[in-house]
Amino acid sequence: MSQAPAPPRSARRRHDREIIALAVPAFGALVAEPLFLMVDSAVVGHLGTPQLAGLGIAAALLATAVSVFVFLAYATTAAVARRVGAGDLPAAIRQGMDGIWLALILGVAVIAITLPTAPWLVDAFGASDTAAPYAITYLRISSLGIPAMLIVLAATGVLRGLQDTRTPLYVAVAGFAVNAALNIALVYGADLGIAGSAWGTVIAQYGMAAAYLFVVVRGARRHGASLRPDAAGIRASAQAGVPLLVRTLSLRAILMIATAVAARLGDVDVAAHQIILSLWSLTAFALDAIAIAGQAIIGRYLGADDADGARQVCRRMVQWGVASGLVLGALIVLARPLFIPLFTADQTVQDTLLPALLVVALSQPIAGVVFVLDGVLMGAGDGPYLAGAMVLTLVVFAPVALLVPAMGGGLTALWWAMTLMMTVRMLTLWWRARSGRWVVTGATR
């Protein structure tokens, strides 16, 4: 990565300790998000294939509504970490508070848009007549939890920037446990069906947001950081997030195109696609744990004016990403007989998803490099490049994916198109990392 010489063994061990200390707790916190969806998929999947297909469409829309604002976590992590490296903790926390206020404003706006447009959004995805009512119900109820989800993103960014990934782990584990219990109780115990699954997730999300706010507010008071909204600070946070918003919108467009193509292949294909996408998201977040560590560590190194340290950490994290991808790919292949029946008893759905699942397993080492380098460049504040690279990836992916139904391809062909998308991302990120242009030191970029 860039042109830094390989670090001595002692430096590699130090970097490994830093990466492990942040990545292991981050992994636990990151997998909570796809686990929320996996619990919903497992519970709803046993209600029937139309319900699972409806959940798949609604989940893709919700993920888009929330994930376009992932800059609330990523940009905040990088900005806070730089100020931590520069030794200015009050400014670091103040930066995070601006992000939390921005999250609340955006969350309310998203609800106002999503509730009245839910039927149109579901129809735009090409949902069948049997799946559409379930998708609309799940989307409308779950959208009420969006403000909580965005607050969780922003507050998580604050803690990561402060080099604390343990607190997000504890909150995520508690949230996952509550979500699982509520889903089972409301779907089957209260006989609410898919609506019960949505309400369980909303309640769990607000509980997590309350826990995060307690921790961040306590830290702000300890360091004398103001809790009041600051218009200039909120605007600055929004402006800093624009490139990452473009990057994330492009990525979400890719995932929405994939789900729309699967929906047009039929209920069986979109149900199978939803299961694979849930697992793919789980492995992606697992790999992203190393990237989260990279955001925090690299931001801190650059804030402390240590360019060589940042390059060395980047090199080491890529090695970790490749190794982790190989392990995850092997686990997918070996464990498939165990987890596939958990999601659906429909043999047709199982037969459809199996070959596509093997494609996902083969692509994991590529994903390892992609997620690590994505995190490195985010930690460096290299948002404009990330935006341009993702737009290019979308331009390459869209026509290939849309040709899948026209050429008579099925779900497996769609997931080969997804692998092409990941390969393009890897090449663009690798080129940038090799160039070294991302290495800009100082408390601000």
Side-chain angles (χ1 to χ4, degrees):
M1 296 299 92
S2 54
Q3 300 300 320
R9 181 173 299 180
S10 60
R12 289 198 301 270
R13 288 176 178 172
R14 184 179 72 254
H15 296 324
D16 286 345
R17 287 194 297 270
E18 289 181 315
I19 293 168
I20 291 171
L22 291 174
V24 172
F27 169 78
L30 285 168
V31 297
E33 183 173 338
L35 282 175
F36 269 48
L37 181 55
M38 290 179 75
V39 167
D40 290 358
S41 298
V43 172
V44 172
H46 290 284
L47 293 175
T49 297
Q51 288 91 333
L52 183 59
L55 171 65
I57 293 168
L61 288 164
L62 281 167
T64 300
V66 174
S67 296
V68 292
F69 303 116
V70 74
F71 69 83
L72 292 167
Y74 292 157
T76 301
T77 297
V80 171
R82 277 183 178 266
R83 286 164 174 79
V84 168
D88 192 350
L89 284 176
I93 297 177
R94 177 66 260 180
Q95 178 87 27
M97 289 304 304
D98 291 335
I100 290 173
W101 281 110
L102 177 61
L104 180 60
I105 294 169
L106 292 173
V108 173
V110 173
I111 289 180
I113 295 170
T114 304
L115 285 178
T117 61
W120 179 85
L121 292 170
V122 169
D123 183 65
F125 258 61
S128 68
D129 292 340
T130 54
Y134 298 111
I136 293 169
T137 296
Y138 191 93
L139 178 60
R140 278 182 163 159
I141 296 172
S142 294
S143 68
L144 299 177
I146 288 175
M149 298 178 198
L150 299 190
I151 289 172
V152 166
L153 283 176
T156 300
V158 178
L159 296 178
R160 289 173 183 166
L162 294 171
Q163 317 295 295
D164 175 11
T165 56
R166 290 184 179 273
T167 299
L169 170 61
Y170 301 147
V171 176
V173 169
F176 170 72
V178 170
N179 180 61
L182 286 173
N183 264 263
I184 294 171
L186 296 176
V187 171
Y188 298 116
D191 198 26
L192 294 178
I194 196 171
S197 177
W199 279 118
T201 301
V202 168
I203 294 169
Q205 290 286 357
Y206 273 101
M208 292 174 66
Y212 274 116
L213 287 174
F214 173 80
V215 174
V216 174
V217 168
R218 184 180 59 183
R221 288 174 173 167
R222 182 185 305 126
H223 294 285
S226 174
L227 298 174
R228 295 180 180 179
D230 176 69
I234 293 172
R235 282 196 303 270
S237 294
Q239 290 168 358
V242 168
L244 291 182
L245 177 61
V246 173
R247 170 253 181 208
T248 305
L249 282 171
S250 300
L251 176 58
R252 296 313 309 179
I254 288 170
L255 298 180
M256 288 175 69
I257 288 170
T259 300
V261 169
R264 282 163 172 76
L265 295 174
D267 281 0
V268 170
D269 288 86
V270 76
H273 176 74
Q274 172 58 28
I275 294 171
I276 295 173
L277 192 60
S278 297
L279 181 67
W280 187 77
S281 297
L282 175 61
T283 60
F285 279 113
L287 292 169
D288 208 24
I290 305 171
I292 294 301
Q295 290 177 37
I297 295 171
I298 283 181
R300 193 187 76 233
Y301 272 87
L302 293 177
D305 295 322
D306 188 352
D308 286 341
R311 292 188 184 96
Q312 291 172 7
V313 170
C314 176
R315 178 194 297 271
R316 191 60 174 165
M317 284 188 298
V318 169
Q319 294 170 353
W320 276 70
V322 173
S324 299
L326 290 170
V327 171
L328 286 171
L331 286 175
I332 290 172
V333 173
L334 295 175
R336 67 190 189 280
L338 300 177
F339 61 75
I340 290 177
L342 293 176
F343 293 101
T344 179
D346 189 325
Q347 189 61 47
T348 305
V349 176
Q350 292 186 16
D351 291 343
T352 300
L353 70 86
L354 184 57
L357 192 63
L358 297 178
V359 174
V360 173
L362 289 172
S363 69
Q364 288 307 295
I366 296 173
V369 176
V370 167
F371 284 100
V372 166
L373 291 181
D374 211 34
V376 166
L377 298 184
M378 285 182 187
D382 202 14
Y385 180 82
L386 288 171
M390 191 60 74
V391 169
L392 173 63
T393 303
L394 172 60
V395 169
V396 173
F397 170 78
V400 175
L402 294 173
L403 280 174
V404 168
M407 300 296 290
L411 190 64
T412 302
L414 176 60
W415 277 93
W416 276 117
M418 291 288 284
T419 301
L420 170 65
M421 177 270 294
M422 293 299 289
T423 302
V424 173
R425 289 186 68 190
M426 181 184 69
L427 293 175
T428 56
L429 296 173
W430 181 273
W431 180 86
R432 184 65 167 183
R434 291 285 295 178
S435 74
R437 296 177 183 174
W438 55 276
V439 181
V440 179
T441 60
T444 57
R445 182 178 173 88

